């Protein structure tokens, strides 16, 4: 794959006159493998366009969120602290329009007009190949790559932080961020009692309900919270599930993922189903709506989501 941009004149010599605070690490060429493709950067990206929100916590941890010059999609405020929100508010929003299935609708021309040297997040009508044709590199979160087969773990979060650190010339910052995340994981005390749970994505207003199996980040998240995933015997990431199947497995707890919807409506999409009152999780009130990125794809937000689950369902609850 071609380099993301021709190396600027000031980058040809490390810390040459006029290069300001650029470091040797930031001006060195870097190649990473993403979704099976080699992506080469002649220097650390300086004009980034976000098409998905999953990368935000990584960029904030590395101190490079200010390099995002435009964004598109949804950025629920619940994901971020005040400092991150303030930075996001300063980044122009190109569009937040989605189709009926929740997929971002944005044209190639709008993105290219921003003159990015990196696009983060692949969308249906703007592929890696399309952007590569005009010498713009794209990085997707590995778990969301087409035909991804690797079973996600919390180690994927650390690896992705290190990847972004390499791309942006911030390997030291990435190392510190990884250690901080590992410390948070070590501090989580999961209950020892045996409990079961299911992670679902209901359709508000009626329609299909989806469940998450062993190939999703929901699976290690439930395990880290001390639960057995009742759909852990499925090797699929996500799949349709009926109420009858739910009743057959009858989990103690339900986690309901959603994309910036009304939590009450999300919960009602399950609890309002005929016969749902027979579910242990429903009858005991152990149902928790959770924003999607608090679980998937693997990111620092997945650790936030884990902490939220443990706080919501402590031992003996």
């Amino acid at each position: 794959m071609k380099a993301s941009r021709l190396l600027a004149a000031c980058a040809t010599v490390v810390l040459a006159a006029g290069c300001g605070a650029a470091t040797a690490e930031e001006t060195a060429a870097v190649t990473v493998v993403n979704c099976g493709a080699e992506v080469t950067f002649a220097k650390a990206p300086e004009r980034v366009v976000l098409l998905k929100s999953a990368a935000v916590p990584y960029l904030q941890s590395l101190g490079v969120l200010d390099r995002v010059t435009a964004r598109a999609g949804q950025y629920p405020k619940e994901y971020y602290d005040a400092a991150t929100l303030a930075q996001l508010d300063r980044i122009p929003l190109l569009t937040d329009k989605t189709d009926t299935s929740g997929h971002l609708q944005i044209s190639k021309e709008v993105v290219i007009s921003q003159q990015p040297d990196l696009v983060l997040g692949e969308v249906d009508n703007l592929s890696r190949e399309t952007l590569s044709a005009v010498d713009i590199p794209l990085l997707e979160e590995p778990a969301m790559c087409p035909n991804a087969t690797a079973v996600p773990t919390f180690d994927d979060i650390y690896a992705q932080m290190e990847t972004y650190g390499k791309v942006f010339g911030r390997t030291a910052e990435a190392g510190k961020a990884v250690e901080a995340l590992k410390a948070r994981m070590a501090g989580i005390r999961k209950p020892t009692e045996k409990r079961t749970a299911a992670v679902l994505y209901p359709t508000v207003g009626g329609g299909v309900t989806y469940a998450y199996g062993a190939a999703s980040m929901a699976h290690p998240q439930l395990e880290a919270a001390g639960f057995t995933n009742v759909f852990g015997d499925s090797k699929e990431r996500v799949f349709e599930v009926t109420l009858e199947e739910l009743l057959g497995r009858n989990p103690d707890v339900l986690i309901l993922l959603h994309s910036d919807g009304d939590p009450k409506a999300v919960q009602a999409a399950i609890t309002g189903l005929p016969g749902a009152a027979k579910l242990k999780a429903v009858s005991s009130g152990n149902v928790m709506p959770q924003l999607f990125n608090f679980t998937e794809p693997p990111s620092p937000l997945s650790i936030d989501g884990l902490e939220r689950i443990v706080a919501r369902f402590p031992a003996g609850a």
Side-chain angles (χ1 to χ4, degrees), residues 5 33 47 61 77 179 197-198 206 213 224 263:
R5 287 282 181 242
V33 177
R47 294 185 57 82
S61 295
K77 294 183 178 180
E179 290 307 311

Side-chain angles (χ1 to χ4, degrees), residues 1-80:
M1 179 174 288
K2 291 185 286 187
S4 64
R5 287 282 181 242
L6 291 176
L7 201 57
C10 71
T12 58
V13 179
V14 175
L15 295 181
C19 287
T23 66
E25 187 178 17
E26 290 176 315
T27 57
V30 166
T31 297
V32 297
V33 177
N34 182 248
C35 299
E38 287 191 353
V39 187
T40 298
F41 299 87
K43 64 174 182 176
E46 296 176 352
R47 294 185 57 82
V48 180
V49 170
L50 283 175
L51 298 184
K52 294 179 181 177
S53 62
V56 170
Y58 290 114
L59 304 186
Q60 178 71 347
S61 295
L62 297 175
V64 295
L65 190 56
D66 59 351
R67 300 191 191 185
V68 177
T69 55
R71 60 190 174 100
Q74 309 242 339
Y75 297 78
K77 294 183 178 180
E78 293 89 340
Y79 288 144
Y80 312 115

Side-chain angles (χ1 to χ4, degrees), residues 43-240:
K43 64 174 182 176
E46 296 176 352
R47 294 185 57 82
V48 180
V49 170
L50 283 175
L51 298 184
K52 294 179 181 177
S53 62
V56 170
Y58 290 114
L59 304 186
Q60 178 71 347
S61 295
L62 297 175
V64 295
L65 190 56
D66 59 351
R67 300 191 191 185
V68 177
T69 55
R71 60 190 174 100
Q74 309 242 339
Y75 297 78
K77 294 183 178 180
E78 293 89 340
Y79 288 144
Y80 312 115
D81 59 22
T84 304
L85 280 173
Q87 282 195 273
L88 284 173
D89 286 343
R90 290 193 289 268
I91 301 170
L93 180 65
L94 301 176
T95 181
D96 60 359
K97 293 181 179 179
T98 59
D99 61 19
T100 54
S101 60
H103 295 138
L104 180 67
Q105 297 297 292
I106 190 169
S107 71
K108 174 181 71 175
E109 291 74 20
V110 168
V111 173
I112 292 174
S113 70
Q114 300 300 310
Q115 299 182 313
D117 50 14
L118 173 61
V119 170
L120 292 177
E122 187 170 9
V123 296
D124 287 347
N125 60 336
L126 193 56
S127 67
R128 180 189 305 275
E129 290 73 20
T130 298
L131 291 172
S132 178
V134 290
D135 203 22
I136 298 174
L138 179 143
L139 293 178
E140 177 63 286
E141 298 303 311
M144 307 307 288
C145 291
N147 303 315
T149 57
V151 176
T153 71
F154 284 92
D155 287 341
D156 295 336
I157 302 172
Y158 315 142
Q160 187 66 354
M161 183 73 79
E162 291 167 348
T163 294
Y164 280 128
K166 184 178 179 182
V167 168
F168 285 95
R170 297 292 179 92
T171 56
E173 290 85 349
K176 291 178 181 178
V178 167
E179 290 307 311
L181 292 173
K182 288 181 176 180
R184 285 176 59 192
M185 287 294 295
I188 294 173
R189 295 290 180 263
K190 64 182 180 183
T192 56
E193 61 186 294
K194 293 184 177 179
R195 298 180 297 175
T196 61
V199 176
L200 308 177
Y201 196 109
T203 301
V204 175
V208 175
T209 297
Y210 298 92
Y212 288 82
S216 71
M217 190 60 194
H219 187 72
Q221 188 179 59
L222 285 180
E223 288 187 328
F227 290 101
T228 297
N229 180 6
V230 297
F231 291 105
D233 58 346
S234 172
K235 295 182 179 180
E236 295 183 79
R237 173 180 167 267
V238 61
F239 48 91
E240 294 184 17

